Structure formats: C-alpha cells, structure tokens
C-alpha cells in the first residue's frame, strides 16, 4: 500500500496542535506537535534538496537521544532515502564495519565525536553533518542548523510503499554474535503502534510523558510510536546517570520510562534515587533481558505496582508478549509462578513453540519461539544466507528457548545458543542467574558453559557482589543447591567487579563465555 507519511504527521499536528510532543532535556528544546511536524518536514526537504539524499541512498546517524529524536522515525518515513541508526557507544571498529556494510552517503554526528571519527568518515567518502557547530579544524564539515536555514516546511510529498520499501536500518544487539543490519518498512512500526494499543495497559490519550533513559535507536524505540500517536510527550536524555534521570522525572513530572533490568537494579542501589520525588511515575516498561524475581519484588515494594514487562526483539518491531500491571500480582489462587514468565502473547501475534523437527510442540513442552506478525522485519541487509536461515514462511525463528503454559503465559527459558548441556541435561543460564540474584549479596550474575570432555559442559558463574560483601563461592553454592537441580549448580564461581554490558545495558554472555574459557584453558 502507498503511504505519504507527511500527511499522517500533518493530521496528528491538527489533532494535538500545541500539546508538547518532543522535549530534549539536556538541550532544553521543546516542540509541540505542530512544530515537530514542520521541523521534520524541513529536515526531509533539506536532505533532498541540499544533501541530494534520494531513493536508493542511505544516511546514517551517530547521535545521542536529543538529536536522534529529530532524525527519528517521523523524519525517516517522510523521506525517500533509507535511515540507518547506530549507537554512539559502539566502538570505532564496530562503526567502521557498520558503515562498510550499509555504505551511506551522509552521516549526522555529534560534534564531540569529530576528533575520533573524522578520518574514518572521510576515508569512506561521507558527507559529514555536525549537529552542533563543528570545531574550526574541520572546515569541510557541514552544520545541521545552517543547512536548515531558509528551507521550506511544506510537506515533502514523498510516497513510499509501506510494505516493500526499506526505510530504516538498525543493528541487532550483538549479545550472541556479530550484529546484523535489520531492515524495516513503514508498516513494521505502524504495526508496533497497533500492537501496543492491543495491550492490557495501552498509552492513555494525551496523558503520557515518557522519558527515554535508553537509546531510541534500540529498545526504547519500541514505545516512541505509541506515545506520539496518542498525543503524549516523548522526552529524551543523553547520559545514563541516575541523577539526570531522577531530576528530569521530578522536574518534568514524567509518567513513564523504559529500562532494561540492569538499569532498574541501579534504581534500587543508587543513593541519588531516594533524594528525588518520583511519585509521578505511573508506568515502568522493562525488557530486553530477564528480570530477577527477587529484585522485581524489591522494585515493587519501592515504587509500587507500576511495572510492565515487554518481550520483543530487533527483528520484531513491536511487543510479542506482555506481563501487564495486573499480572504482576499473585493470581486468584495466590500463585506467583507467572511472575517468572514474559507474560501473555499480544493479540494479533502468531506465536509457536517449535521442536527440533520444525513442528509445534505440545502445551508445556520446551522448544524454540517462532513469531509472525506485521511487525516482523524485512530481513537482514546484504545477508540473504542469514535471512533464509532465520525466517520461514513469514515466521522469525527467535533463537530463544521457551514454553507456553495452559494459561497462555510465555516462559522465555534462554537463548538457544546459550543453553548449557551438562551430562545430557539442559541448563538454562537465565534460571541459574535468577537463583543467584535471589541471594542478598549478589548484584548481577552471568552464567556460561565451559567445554569438558567428560560431561559436555560444566556450569560456570561470574558474579558481582554488593559493596564489600564477604560471600564466598561455597556459601553461594549451598544457597543454590536448595533452589536448583544438581546439574544446574555452578561447578565454578568467579567474583568480579563488573560484567561486560552492551550499549543498551544487556550482559554480553558471549564475551563472558570467551573470557572464561580462555581463563580455564590457561589454568
């Protein structure tokens, strides 16, 4: 179907008018719906007329949230060139690989990154646009706001095919392997919007003020569309400090945010949090990695029943399953078993648990999670082999092991690649990590398998302790023996000061596994 997204945006501007649409916390920029519509029109017209970004071209961003909000989904879908979103926290080597794969024509970058990135960008022949005035030592770098001078705010009038045209590229998290460039159509994120509205706790009209603590270019982008289509306000921040977050919540009367579990643990442990009034928070979305049930209870005691779990992925632009606020409470029989689930499948999603033979398994049995909906991406850029491997008849094979129970709750057991096989028994690292984090001294844990010729793999844990806790490995092992089957109890436990995290705060098990295996090979 054909779509002119500038007309969609124009109608939103008519409906919501002068209501706040986008607020950049650190730059103190505020745009109403009408102003945001006109600004994104100007940006697209500038891209087409002054940067010659036309159909078949790609532009890339290396931006923090404030600037990314201006070049986000609305700008991408109003234009004709493809937008590629990267993370500023990616290493220079990773970004060079990304640029080599995508082959963009233009890059929009933070001025502060020019000293480290300029040579790389020139080698690849990119037109460089700085979002702030560039330092004088980079005279050929263009300044974004100069480029916008005198540009019309008329609707660009670009018509795209909402199913067939790739308009956005984002990279997978890379927690289990090399990141892949995921291709999205316009309809993928329109489906993201529609699936959110099918949830038990949809965004209320004109009431949400959602602060993006995480990157819009990754998990936090899942709630960008639903908020703007309901007349809410999306607020952005660039750093990851609890002080900035708490100050913004208090000052802006923020009602919602989205964090990965490691970020929420910081809310429990950071003394800054107790110094601020966070009573305006009514909703806290979380996802991207498993939540410790013990830590979840602590969060509920501290902040109330405001939590909603979202299960999704880079390949599926919308939520696949949701554990609603009501489902964060014990059920009618008093059971809390479902709190370790990822909730129930969102209406409109086709989800199957599939065995090794590619056929659906019976309810309650383990298998791989397959999903299909309008939100499923178009595949991986320039990687037909991987696309063919991971997609089947419109289903995406998630690589997650899971099961569905009789009540429709989805239990995400672990990544298929992360499952440890110890003496022919499956060990799911997520379950071992959750048990570890039930101990009062454990802040974070990562569990991996170490190859062994006799048992296949043994279970190894890397553990971060709270403060100067005096916990020893044997004490933790005894604690786990009361909560786990014997084959899941780690043979070895190593205490570390920190675990490697992805740019969005997910533990990089792949890195933990490689480092641990190298360590044991040397000993």
């Amino acid at each position: 179907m054909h779509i002119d997204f500038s007309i969609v945006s124009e109608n939103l501007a008519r409906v919501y008018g002068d209501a706040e649409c986008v607020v950049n916390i650190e730059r103190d920029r505020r745009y109403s719906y009408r102003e945001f519509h006109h600004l994104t029109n100007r940006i697209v017209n500038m891209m087409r007329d002054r940067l010659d970004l036309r159909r078949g071209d790609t532009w890339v961003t290396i931006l923090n949230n404030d600037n990314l909000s201006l070049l986000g989904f609305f700008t991408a879908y109003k234009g004709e060139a493809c937008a590629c979103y990267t993370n500023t926290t990616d290493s220079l080597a990773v970004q060079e690989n990304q640029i080599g794969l995508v082959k963009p024509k233009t890059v929009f970058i933070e001025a502060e990154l020019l000293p480290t990135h300029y040579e790389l960008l020139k080698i690849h022949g990119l037109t460089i646009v700085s979002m702030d005035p560039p330092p004088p030592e980079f005279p050929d770098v263009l300044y974004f706001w100069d480029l916008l001078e005198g540009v019309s705010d008329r609707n660009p009038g670009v018509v795209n095919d909402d199913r067939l045209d790739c308009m956005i590229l984002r990279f997978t998290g890379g927690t289990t392997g090399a990141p892949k460039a995921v291709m999205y159509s316009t309809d993928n994120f329109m489906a993201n919007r529609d699936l959110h509205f099918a949830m038990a706790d949809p965004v209320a009209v004109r009431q949400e003020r959602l602060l993006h603590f995480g990157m819009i270019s990754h998990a936090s982008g899942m709630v960008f569309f639903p908020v703007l289509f309901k007349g809410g306000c999306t607020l952005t921040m660039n750093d990851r400090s609890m002080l900035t977050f708490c100050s913004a919540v208090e000052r802006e009367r923020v009602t919602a945010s989205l964090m990965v579990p490691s970020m929420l643990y910081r809310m429990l442990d950071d003394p800054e949090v107790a110094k601020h009034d966070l009573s305006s928070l009514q909703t806290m979305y979380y996802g991207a990695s498993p939540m410790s049930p013990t830590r979840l209870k602590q969060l509920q005691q501290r902040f109330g029943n405001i939590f909603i779990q979202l299960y999704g992925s880079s390949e599926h632009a919308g939520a696949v399953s949701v554990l609603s606020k009501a489902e964060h409470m014990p059920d009618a029989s008093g059971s809390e078993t479902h709190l370790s689930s990822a909730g129930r499948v969102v209406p409109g999603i086709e989800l199957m648990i599939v065995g090794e033979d590619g056929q659906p398994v019976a309810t309650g049995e383990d298998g791989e999670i397959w999903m299909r909906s309008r939100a499923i991406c178009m595949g991986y850029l320039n990687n037909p082999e991987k696309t063919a491997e991971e997609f089947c008849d419109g289903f995406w094979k998630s690589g997650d092991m899971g099961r569905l129970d009789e009540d429709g709750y989805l239990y995400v057991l672990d990544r298929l690649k992360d499952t440890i096989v110890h003496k022919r028994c499956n060990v799911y690292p997520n379950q071992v990590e959750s048990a570890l984090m039930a101990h009062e001294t454990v802040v974070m844990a990562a569990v991996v398998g170490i190859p062994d010729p006799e048992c296949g793999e043994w279970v190894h844990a890397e553990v971060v302790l709270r403060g100067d806790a005096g916990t020893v490995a044997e004490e933790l092992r005894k604690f786990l023996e009361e909560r786990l089957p014997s084959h899941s109890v780690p043979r070895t436990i190593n205490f570390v000061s920190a675990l490697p995290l992805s740019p969005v705060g997910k533990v990089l098990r792949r890195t933990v596994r490689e480092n641990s295996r190298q360590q044991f090979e040397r000993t």
Side-chain angles (χ1 to χ4, degrees):
M1 169 176 121
H2 287 165
I3 186 170
D4 180 344
F5 199 83
S6 60
I7 297 177
V8 175
S9 173
E10 183 177 45
N11 286 331
L12 285 174
R14 288 193 181 113
V15 171
Y16 299 122
D18 293 329
E20 272 195 328
C21 178
V22 171
V23 173
N24 299 150
I25 295 294
E26 284 144 82
R27 296 173 185 271
D28 196 28
R29 294 189 301 222
R30 296 173 183 271
Y31 301 99
S32 69
Y33 273 81
R34 188 175 289 108
E35 290 167 338
F36 187 67
H37 167 64
H38 288 146
L39 175 60
T40 49
N41 277 357
R42 290 176 63 206
I43 294 171
V44 172
N45 289 331
M46 176 270 287
M47 287 179 169
R48 299 177 75 210
D49 298 339
R50 298 188 175 180
L51 296 176
D52 194 32
L53 288 166
R54 298 287 174 163
R55 196 169 301 280
D57 294 329
T58 299
W59 48 274
V60 64
T61 66
I62 310 177
L63 299 176
N64 295 320
N65 269 350
D66 278 4
N67 283 323
L68 186 58
S69 69
L70 309 186
L71 280 81
F73 302 103
F74 277 53
T75 298
Y77 288 146
K78 287 183 179 185
E80 55 184 306
C82 179
C84 176
Y85 301 130
T86 70
N87 292 319
T88 55
T89 48
D90 286 338
S91 69
L92 200 60
V94 167
Q95 288 172 346
E96 182 170 18
N97 289 336
Q98 293 170 345
I99 289 170
L101 174 63
V102 172
K103 296 180 172 52
K105 184 175 181 178
T106 300
V107 59
F108 297 88
I109 191 169
E110 302 289 351
E112 66 204 46
L113 295 177
L114 287 172
T116 54
H117 287 63
Y118 179 80
E119 291 300 328
L120 168 65
L121 301 176
K122 293 303 291 184
I123 288 172
H124 285 270
L126 275 68
T127 299
I128 306 172
V129 180
S130 174
M131 301 301 288
D132 289 310
E137 59 266 33
F138 305 106
D140 58 339
V141 173
L142 304 175
Y143 176 36
F144 178 78
W145 294 98
D146 280 351
L147 287 171
L148 281 182
E149 283 292 327
V151 175
S152 169
D153 65 3
R154 71 181 186 282
N155 284 357
V158 175
V159 176
N160 293 306
D161 189 300
D162 73 345
R163 311 287 171 92
L164 300 179
D165 290 333
C166 175
M167 303 307 301
I168 289 177
L169 295 167
R170 299 191 303 175
F171 290 92
T172 58
T175 54
T176 58
K180 303 178 286 290
V182 183
M183 303 187 295
Y184 304 95
S185 68
T186 305
D187 192 54
N188 288 152
F189 275 90
M190 297 295 264
N192 156 275
R193 174 203 62 185
D194 297 344
L195 289 168
H196 187 97
F197 297 160
M199 288 165 36
D201 303 289
V203 171
V205 176
R206 298 179 185 261
Q207 293 181 22
E208 201 81 288
R209 292 180 64 79
L210 191 142
L211 175 59
H212 292 274
F213 184 81
M215 291 298 295
I216 297 174
S217 58
H218 206 70
S220 204
M222 186 180 289
V223 288
F224 190 94
F225 251 45
V227 170
L228 264 62
F229 274 85
K230 279 294 188 75
C233 179
T234 186
L235 302 95
T236 63
M237 56 182 284
N238 294 332
D239 69 32
R240 296 293 171 269
S241 76
M242 274 297 147
L243 176 59
T244 302
F245 175 80
C246 293
S247 299
V249 170
E250 186 174 51
R251 184 177 64 254
E252 298 286 342
R253 305 306 296 164
V254 168
T255 63
S257 189
L258 183 150
M259 294 187 180
V260 299
S262 62
M263 297 172 182
L264 289 172
Y265 303 157
R266 285 170 57 190
M267 287 189 70
L268 282 173
D269 300 333
D270 196 316
E272 286 292 339
V273 177
K275 300 176 184 177
H276 292 81
D277 176 10
L278 306 184
S279 60
S280 62
L281 281 174
Q282 301 170 18
T283 300
M284 179 62 75
Y285 300 101
Y286 68 93
S289 60
M291 171 76 83
S292 159
T294 300
R295 301 287 260 172
L296 176 58
K297 284 189 175 182
Q298 294 171 353
L299 285 160
Q300 288 175 302
Q301 291 168 359
R302 183 83 169 270
F303 300 104
N305 189 31
I306 67 171
F307 296 92
I308 299 174
Q309 182 183 171
L310 305 177
Y311 168 62
S313 67
S314 296
E315 287 81 358
H316 188 278
V320 176
S321 66
V322 176
L323 192 68
S324 68
K325 293 178 185 178
E327 291 165 340
H328 273 77
M329 303 299 289
D331 65 17
S333 67
S335 172
E336 295 183 341
T337 303
H338 62 282
L339 292 178
S340 61
S341 78
R344 289 178 162 122
V345 179
V346 176
I349 301 284
E350 296 177 69
L351 186 140
M352 301 190 302
I353 307 297
V354 176
E356 294 181 0
D357 60 357
Q359 297 300 311
V361 302
T363 299
E365 292 186 7
D366 297 355
E368 185 180 10
I369 300 171
W370 289 21
M371 60 191 72
R372 180 167 66 185
S373 84
R374 286 169 43 221
I376 287 291
C377 72
M378 303 172 69
Y380 303 121
L381 179 71
N382 298 333
N383 199 338
E385 296 83 5
K386 200 67 177 175
T387 300
E389 176 186 334
E390 295 196 12
F391 295 83
C392 177
D393 294 331
F395 281 94
W396 177 56
K397 309 173 188 179
S398 72
D400 284 337
M401 291 292 289
R403 76 169 73 97
L404 281 166
D405 71 11
E406 292 287 350
D407 296 317
Y409 286 103
L410 173 66
Y411 292 82
V412 182
L413 303 172
D414 223 310
R415 293 292 298 168
L416 190 59
K417 294 178 181 177
D418 286 341
T419 301
I420 301 165
V421 181
H422 177 74
K423 295 182 178 179
R424 298 185 180 180
C425 294
N426 283 351
V427 177
Y428 299 118
N430 284 343
Q431 296 177 345
V432 184
E433 290 164 3
S434 291
L436 278 164
M437 292 183 64
H439 195 280
E440 61 182 4
T441 66
V442 175
V443 174
M444 196 175 292
V447 172
V448 297
I450 304 298
D452 183 89
E454 295 183 5
C455 63
E457 293 176 292
W458 87 72
V459 182
H460 171 70
E462 299 273 310
V463 176
V464 179
L465 295 178
R466 190 182 315 281
D468 56 355
T471 305
V472 295
E474 192 55 37
E475 178 185 338
L476 269 185
R477 200 172 287 109
K478 289 179 179 178
F479 178 81
L480 295 177
E481 286 171 354
E482 300 174 359
R483 291 162 173 80
L484 295 171
S486 59
H487 64 265
S488 295
V489 176
R491 178 195 295 183
T492 50
I493 298 175
N494 186 31
F495 297 111
V496 295
S497 59
L499 292 171
L501 301 177
S502 74
V504 296
K506 296 168 68 173
V507 174
L508 292 170
R509 273 213 203 112
R510 173 171 49 90
T511 303
V512 173
R513 184 184 302 111
E514 291 170 358
N515 293 343
S516 299
R517 290 180 178 181
Q518 289 174 8
Q519 175 189 342
F520 284 106
E521 285 173 1
R522 292 194 298 266
T523 57

